Amino acid sequence: DGGITQSPKYLFRKEGQNVTLSCEQNLNHDAMYWYRQDPGQGLRLIYYSQIVNDFQKGDIAEGYSVSREKKESFPLTVTSAQKNPTAFYLCASSGPSGVSYNEQFFGPGTRLTVL
Amino acid sequence: AQSVTQLDSHVSVSEGTPVLLRCNYSSSYSPSLFWYVQHPNKGLQLLLKYTSAATLVKGINGFEAEFKKSETSFHLTKPSAHMSDAAEYFCVVFSGGYNKLIFGAGTRLAVHP
């Protein structure tokens, strides 16, 4: 089955710790995205990557970091610099860039809670 | 700058009655607009999309939306609600450039027996 997987489904972090959220896709998509979702708000873009070894900051990148060493994988690290990390994190991917629009396919999400 | 405003944060309907979820957009040019649905603790699924073809767009699960340029609206409708429609719905505009999406705040739909 083609799709996007995120792990873990639930993650608990102590204050001051860095944690890494996994996102893997087998759709052969070039582009990948990380969003943050808070209650009563729409999704906000953290980082995105159009191709391997390249990524750009989204609207709320502070306190987060990413890497794109493989086409299939786009892990997100939530660092201790992120002051309010408790949220639902969604990963997405889409097909080739350079066209007017490609549907973004979403993973099932990771719920991060800071203790 | 592009933006979307979902006019209702919560909508409650009875099973079998019509659904209307309202969305207004702001865009300096002809936009691409979408509706996504999210069931609790799940990812998002595309319901339908408007990309400057027909103004009445049909999606999955009996939903449809009409693009009205004069009213800058893209409201989502369904003739008869089903219990399984209870979810959160997001109106989204495509920002262009690097395939960026701008999300509305969401409308939570409750369906009562």
Side-chain angles (χ1 to χ4, degrees):
Chain A
D1 277 342
I4 302 176
T5 57
Q6 291 185 242
S7 61
K9 186 172 182 178
Y10 297 97
L11 185 58
F12 297 91
R13 188 195 95 172
K14 294 181 180 179
E15 287 200 25
Q17 283 183 334
N18 293 353
V19 291
T20 297
L21 283 59
S22 170
C23 177
E24 304 277 334
Q25 55 98 0
N26 62 4
L27 300 169
N28 199 32
H29 284 167
D30 290 323
M32 296 186 74
Y33 310 81
W34 273 106
Y35 294 91
R36 170 181 171 138
Q37 184 178 22
D38 295 282
Q41 300 188 38
L43 278 65
R44 293 181 290 168
L45 184 64
I46 304 173
Y47 268 98
Y48 61 103
S49 167
Q50 298 294 303
I51 55 173
V52 175
N53 293 320
D54 186 48
F55 49 83
Q56 290 80 38
K57 293 181 179 180
D59 301 318
I60 56 165
E62 185 176 352
Y64 300 97
S65 65
V66 293
S67 62
R68 187 85 188 276
E69 297 177 359
K70 299 187 299 182
K71 187 175 185 178
E72 302 79 18
S73 178
F74 191 42
L76 172 75
T77 297
V78 184
T79 74
S80 57
Q82 170 51 237
K83 297 305 178 189
N84 185 22
T86 294
F88 191 50
Y89 291 87
L90 287 156
C91 179
S93 71
S94 67
S97 58
V99 297
S100 59
Y101 174 72
N102 283 297
E103 177 182 345
Q104 291 189 16
F105 292 84
F106 285 81
T110 293
R111 186 165 297 281
L112 173 63
T113 302
V114 174
L115 302 174
Chain B
Q2 288 146 302
S3 65
V4 288
T5 302
Q6 293 184 243
L7 301 173
D8 307 291
S9 58
H10 292 83
V11 170
S12 181
V13 302
S14 298
E15 191 175 21
T17 64
V19 175
L20 170 63
L21 305 183
R22 298 182 294 164
C23 173
N24 286 351
Y25 71 89
S26 171
S27 177
S28 55
Y29 51 87
S30 184
S32 294
L33 293 159
F34 314 90
W35 278 97
Y36 278 84
V37 61
Q38 183 182 33
H39 288 90
N41 291 311
K42 303 288 187 185
L44 275 69
Q45 181 183 17
L46 182 67
L47 272 179
L48 50 81
K49 62 182 178 183
Y50 167 77
T51 55
S52 74
T55 56
L56 182 62
V57 182
K58 293 188 184 299
I60 62 172
N61 300 333
F63 284 95
E64 61 182 37
E66 186 171 7
F67 174 73
K68 292 187 176 181
K69 187 175 181 179
S70 61
E71 298 177 10
T72 62
S73 69
F74 190 57
H75 300 335
L76 182 70
T77 60
K78 183 174 181 177
S80 176
H82 191 272
M83 296 296 289
S84 62
D85 295 328
E88 187 144 24
Y89 293 79
F90 292 96
C91 184
V92 183
V93 64
F94 173 53
S95 180
Y98 294 102
N99 208 29
K100 291 176 65 175
L101 300 179
I102 298 172
F103 286 78
T107 297
R108 185 167 298 277
L109 175 66
V111 182
H112 302 287

Short mmCIF file of all heavy atoms in Angstrom, two decimals, chain A residues 17-41:
data_model
loop_
_atom_site.label_atom_id
_atom_site.label_comp_id
_atom_site.label_asym_id
_atom_site.label_seq_id
_atom_site.Cartn_x
_atom_site.Cartn_y
_atom_site.Cartn_z
N GLN A 17 14.11 18.64 26.56
CA GLN A 17 14.55 17.54 25.70
C GLN A 17 14.26 17.85 24.25
O GLN A 17 13.25 18.48 23.93
CB GLN A 17 13.81 16.26 26.07
CG GLN A 17 14.30 15.55 27.30
CD GLN A 17 13.54 14.24 27.52
OE1 GLN A 17 12.41 14.08 27.09
NE2 GLN A 17 14.19 13.32 28.21
N ASN A 18 15.13 17.36 23.38
CA ASN A 18 14.82 17.35 21.96
C ASN A 18 14.12 16.03 21.63
O ASN A 18 14.45 14.99 22.21
CB ASN A 18 16.09 17.44 21.11
CG ASN A 18 16.79 18.77 21.25
OD1 ASN A 18 16.27 19.69 21.86
ND2 ASN A 18 17.97 18.87 20.66
N VAL A 19 13.18 16.06 20.71
CA VAL A 19 12.56 14.84 20.24
C VAL A 19 12.45 14.90 18.72
O VAL A 19 12.34 15.98 18.14
CB VAL A 19 11.15 14.61 20.83
CG1 VAL A 19 11.24 14.30 22.30
CG2 VAL A 19 10.26 15.80 20.56
N THR A 20 12.48 13.71 18.10
CA THR A 20 12.39 13.63 16.64
C THR A 20 11.17 12.84 16.23
O THR A 20 10.95 11.73 16.72
CB THR A 20 13.65 13.00 16.04
OG1 THR A 20 14.78 13.83 16.35
CG2 THR A 20 13.53 12.88 14.53
N LEU A 21 10.39 13.43 15.33
CA LEU A 21 9.20 12.80 14.79
C LEU A 21 9.53 12.27 13.40
O LEU A 21 10.13 12.96 12.58
CB LEU A 21 8.05 13.82 14.69
CG LEU A 21 7.31 14.20 15.96
CD1 LEU A 21 8.22 14.80 17.01
CD2 LEU A 21 6.19 15.19 15.61
N SER A 22 9.09 11.05 13.16
CA SER A 22 9.41 10.39 11.90
C SER A 22 8.29 10.58 10.88
O SER A 22 7.11 10.55 11.23
CB SER A 22 9.65 8.91 12.14
OG SER A 22 9.73 8.20 10.92
N CYS A 23 8.66 10.74 9.61
CA CYS A 23 7.71 10.78 8.51
C CYS A 23 8.34 10.07 7.32
O CYS A 23 9.43 10.43 6.88
CB CYS A 23 7.36 12.21 8.13
SG CYS A 23 6.25 12.30 6.70
N GLU A 24 7.65 9.05 6.84
CA GLU A 24 8.13 8.27 5.69
C GLU A 24 7.01 8.16 4.66
O GLU A 24 5.86 7.97 5.02
CB GLU A 24 8.52 6.87 6.13
CG GLU A 24 9.55 6.80 7.25
CD GLU A 24 10.97 6.93 6.72
OE1 GLU A 24 11.20 6.57 5.55
OE2 GLU A 24 11.85 7.36 7.49
N GLN A 25 7.38 8.27 3.37
CA GLN A 25 6.38 8.09 2.31
C GLN A 25 6.93 7.17 1.22
O GLN A 25 8.12 7.23 0.92
CB GLN A 25 5.96 9.45 1.72
CG GLN A 25 7.09 10.34 1.21
CD GLN A 25 7.31 10.29 -0.28
OE1 GLN A 25 6.63 9.57 -1.01
NE2 GLN A 25 8.29 11.07 -0.76
N ASN A 26 6.04 6.36 0.67
CA ASN A 26 6.44 5.48 -0.43
C ASN A 26 5.64 5.80 -1.68
O ASN A 26 5.36 4.91 -2.50
CB ASN A 26 6.29 4.02 -0.01
CG ASN A 26 4.86 3.65 0.33
OD1 ASN A 26 3.94 4.47 0.20
ND2 ASN A 26 4.65 2.43 0.78
N LEU A 27 5.28 7.06 -1.83
CA LEU A 27 4.50 7.53 -2.97
C LEU A 27 5.38 8.07 -4.08
O LEU A 27 4.88 8.55 -5.09
CB LEU A 27 3.53 8.62 -2.50
CG LEU A 27 2.53 8.18 -1.42
CD1 LEU A 27 1.81 9.38 -0.83
CD2 LEU A 27 1.53 7.19 -2.02
N ASN A 28 6.69 8.04 -3.86
CA ASN A 28 7.65 8.60 -4.82
C ASN A 28 7.41 10.10 -5.05
O ASN A 28 7.65 10.62 -6.14
CB ASN A 28 7.61 7.85 -6.15
CG ASN A 28 8.87 8.09 -6.98
OD1 ASN A 28 9.96 8.27 -6.43
ND2 ASN A 28 8.73 8.10 -8.29
N HIS A 29 6.96 10.77 -4.01
CA HIS A 29 6.72 12.21 -4.09
C HIS A 29 8.00 12.99 -3.87
O HIS A 29 8.83 12.62 -3.04
CB HIS A 29 5.68 12.64 -3.06
CG HIS A 29 4.28 12.29 -3.44
ND1 HIS A 29 3.24 12.34 -2.54
CD2 HIS A 29 3.75 11.90 -4.62
CE1 HIS A 29 2.12 12.00 -3.16
NE2 HIS A 29 2.41 11.72 -4.42
N ASP A 30 8.13 14.10 -4.60
CA ASP A 30 9.31 14.94 -4.44
C ASP A 30 9.21 15.83 -3.20
O ASP A 30 10.19 16.06 -2.51
CB ASP A 30 9.48 15.86 -5.67
CG ASP A 30 9.89 15.07 -6.90
OD1 ASP A 30 10.66 14.11 -6.77
OD2 ASP A 30 9.42 15.42 -8.00
N ALA A 31 8.02 16.37 -2.96
CA ALA A 31 7.87 17.39 -1.94
C ALA A 31 7.30 16.80 -0.65
O ALA A 31 6.44 15.92 -0.68
CB ALA A 31 6.95 18.50 -2.44
N MET A 32 7.79 17.32 0.47
CA MET A 32 7.27 16.90 1.77
C MET A 32 7.13 18.12 2.65
O MET A 32 7.86 19.12 2.49
CB MET A 32 8.19 15.85 2.41
CG MET A 32 8.25 14.55 1.60
SD MET A 32 9.16 13.23 2.40
CE MET A 32 8.00 12.72 3.68
N TYR A 33 6.21 18.03 3.62
CA TYR A 33 5.82 19.17 4.46
C TYR A 33 5.59 18.73 5.90
O TYR A 33 5.15 17.60 6.14
CB TYR A 33 4.50 19.78 3.94
CG TYR A 33 4.46 20.06 2.47
CD1 TYR A 33 4.20 19.05 1.55
CD2 TYR A 33 4.69 21.34 1.98
CE1 TYR A 33 4.18 19.30 0.19
CE2 TYR A 33 4.66 21.60 0.61
CZ TYR A 33 4.41 20.56 -0.26
OH TYR A 33 4.38 20.81 -1.61
N TRP A 34 5.84 19.65 6.82
CA TRP A 34 5.45 19.46 8.21
C TRP A 34 4.54 20.62 8.63
O TRP A 34 4.85 21.80 8.40
CB TRP A 34 6.68 19.46 9.13
CG TRP A 34 7.30 18.11 9.27
CD1 TRP A 34 8.47 17.67 8.73
CD2 TRP A 34 6.80 17.00 10.05
NE1 TRP A 34 8.71 16.37 9.10
CE2 TRP A 34 7.71 15.95 9.91
CE3 TRP A 34 5.66 16.82 10.84
CZ2 TRP A 34 7.53 14.71 10.54
CZ3 TRP A 34 5.49 15.59 11.46
CH2 TRP A 34 6.41 14.56 11.30
N TYR A 35 3.42 20.22 9.26
CA TYR A 35 2.46 21.17 9.79
C TYR A 35 2.27 20.94 11.27
O TYR A 35 2.38 19.83 11.78
CB TYR A 35 1.09 21.00 9.11
CG TYR A 35 1.04 21.33 7.64
CD1 TYR A 35 1.27 20.35 6.68
CD2 TYR A 35 0.74 22.62 7.21
CE1 TYR A 35 1.21 20.65 5.33
CE2 TYR A 35 0.66 22.92 5.86
CZ TYR A 35 0.90 21.92 4.93
OH TYR A 35 0.82 22.23 3.59
N ARG A 36 1.88 22.02 11.92
CA ARG A 36 1.50 21.94 13.33
C ARG A 36 0.03 22.32 13.41
O ARG A 36 -0.42 23.28 12.77
CB ARG A 36 2.34 22.91 14.14
CG ARG A 36 1.87 23.10 15.56
CD ARG A 36 2.73 24.08 16.33
NE ARG A 36 2.10 24.37 17.61
CZ ARG A 36 2.78 24.47 18.75
NH1 ARG A 36 4.10 24.34 18.76
NH2 ARG A 36 2.14 24.72 19.87
N GLN A 37 -0.72 21.58 14.25
CA GLN A 37 -2.14 21.86 14.44
C GLN A 37 -2.41 22.05 15.92
O GLN A 37 -2.10 21.19 16.75
CB GLN A 37 -3.01 20.73 13.90
CG GLN A 37 -4.49 21.01 13.97
CD GLN A 37 -5.33 19.90 13.38
OE1 GLN A 37 -4.90 18.76 13.26
NE2 GLN A 37 -6.55 20.22 12.98
N ASP A 38 -3.01 23.19 16.26
CA ASP A 38 -3.44 23.49 17.63
C ASP A 38 -4.96 23.59 17.66
O ASP A 38 -5.58 23.95 16.65
CB ASP A 38 -2.80 24.80 18.11
CG ASP A 38 -1.29 24.69 18.21
OD1 ASP A 38 -0.84 24.11 19.21
OD2 ASP A 38 -0.58 25.17 17.30
N PRO A 39 -5.57 23.32 18.80
CA PRO A 39 -7.04 23.36 18.88
C PRO A 39 -7.60 24.69 18.43
O PRO A 39 -7.10 25.75 18.83
CB PRO A 39 -7.30 23.11 20.38
CG PRO A 39 -6.11 22.36 20.85
CD PRO A 39 -4.95 22.90 20.07
N GLY A 40 -8.62 24.65 17.60
CA GLY A 40 -9.28 25.87 17.15
C GLY A 40 -8.51 26.63 16.10
O GLY A 40 -8.92 27.74 15.71
N GLN A 41 -7.42 26.06 15.62
CA GLN A 41 -6.64 26.72 14.57
C GLN A 41 -6.46 25.77 13.40
O GLN A 41 -6.48 24.56 13.56
CB GLN A 41 -5.27 27.15 15.10
CG GLN A 41 -5.31 28.11 16.26
CD GLN A 41 -3.91 28.62 16.59
OE1 GLN A 41 -3.11 28.87 15.70
NE2 GLN A 41 -3.63 28.79 17.86
#
